[in-house]
Amino acid sequence: MKTFDLAMRNMNRTWWGITNYNTLDKLTHAFHMAEIWDKTAEQYTMVEKLLDPQSDLCDCVTDIEENDVLNYLNLLAFKIKYPGITSGNKTLTDNYLSSGVREKRSAGYGFGGGYNFGWKRSLTDFDGFNFNLSDIELLQDVAEKLADGEQVMTEHVDSAEHWKLWRKMVKHGMEESGYYDLAVFMFCMLN
């Protein structure tokens, strides 16, 4: 009930949660995130017993500037601000590039394909990227050099048909190993 109450209390706040989504979308996302945190908490309990915070692994995990975690999180934030920017869809990316400034997310309402906490990118993918630059300075490079084919989710949870799409996305959102990886990251960063 806590998750439902949280989403409902904040449903009229445009800045809360995932923006440009309807209430059912926000509820779906809130329950999905609660499930992710529950599964990660199970893994965290195990990690806490097995891992030494002074280990070489934690040294590596906490070096987020060198291990590309910080770059990956910046890219994820960029994808949330500009849905479809890495899709390879020239029409979509040209819309962002021609606007000159960040406009309301007119291209879509989110992203499809789910998340993957495994590092599929090589470390060289981020070479030359400086996420401290303005969005305008980064848009073209992100659209061209970090294209991954990730499509925009344009359907809202407004019908049984669209719910099937959302259900598939949240059901297959993260591989089982992702919960362990997230638990290790959290443990090392917090200890």
Side-chain angles (χ1 to χ4, degrees):
M1 191 65 179
K2 283 171 47 176
T3 301
F4 182 81
D5 180 57
L6 180 66
M8 295 307 287
R9 279 187 288 124
N10 290 291
M11 74 173 144
N12 292 332
R13 294 183 174 146
T14 57
W15 52 265
W16 184 84
I18 53 175
T19 56
N20 297 323
Y21 287 80
N22 70 33
T23 302
L24 284 175
D25 299 342
K26 289 181 180 188
L27 279 168
T28 301
H29 184 258
F31 280 112
H32 170 62
M33 293 307 300
E35 183 176 56
I36 285 178
W37 289 121
D38 286 346
K39 289 181 178 182
T40 301
E42 291 172 12
Q43 296 296 312
Y44 188 94
T45 301
M46 180 180 62
V47 167
E48 196 172 33
K49 294 174 185 171
L50 299 175
L51 191 58
D52 177 1
Q54 304 303 315
S55 68
D56 289 343
L57 176 62
C58 279
D59 284 345
C60 178
V61 167
T62 58
D63 191 1
I64 62 174
E65 291 181 8
E66 288 298 317
N67 65 19
D68 271 343
V69 168
L70 186 59
N71 281 330
Y72 182 79
L73 291 173
N74 278 313
L75 177 61
L76 185 59
F78 215 81
K79 288 177 163 189
I80 291 168
K81 283 196 276 186
Y82 302 97
I85 191 67
T86 61
S87 67
N89 178 333
K90 188 163 172 38
T91 303
L92 182 61
T93 56
D94 283 351
N95 182 40
Y96 289 130
L97 294 169
S98 67
S99 70
V101 294
R102 181 175 172 231
E103 294 180 359
K104 190 172 181 180
R105 296 180 204 171
S106 58
Y109 294 94
F111 32 21
Y115 340 111
N116 188 337
F117 282 92
W119 305 113
K120 288 187 175 181
R121 302 187 171 284
S122 72
L123 295 177
T124 57
D125 279 346
F126 292 112
D127 280 352
F129 276 87
N130 177 359
F131 283 102
N132 291 322
L133 297 174
S134 71
D135 289 5
I136 293 168
E137 294 171 290
L138 284 170
L139 275 168
Q140 180 112 23
D141 277 350
V142 170
E144 291 175 1
K145 296 177 183 170
L146 298 178
D148 57 13
E150 188 171 279
Q151 298 301 307
V152 176
M153 174 71 121
T154 57
E155 294 81 6
H156 291 285
V157 181
D158 57 8
S159 68
E161 180 185 340
H162 289 163
W163 167 241
K164 287 179 187 175
L165 297 171
W166 275 75
R167 185 172 184 264
K168 181 180 177 184
M169 181 178 65
V170 297
K171 185 176 179 183
H172 302 292
M174 187 158 58
E175 297 172 8
E176 285 299 314
S177 63
Y179 303 112
Y180 177 80
D181 293 346
L182 182 55
V184 167
F185 179 78
M186 290 175 57
F187 174 81
C188 292
M189 294 301 286
L190 294 171
N191 292 288

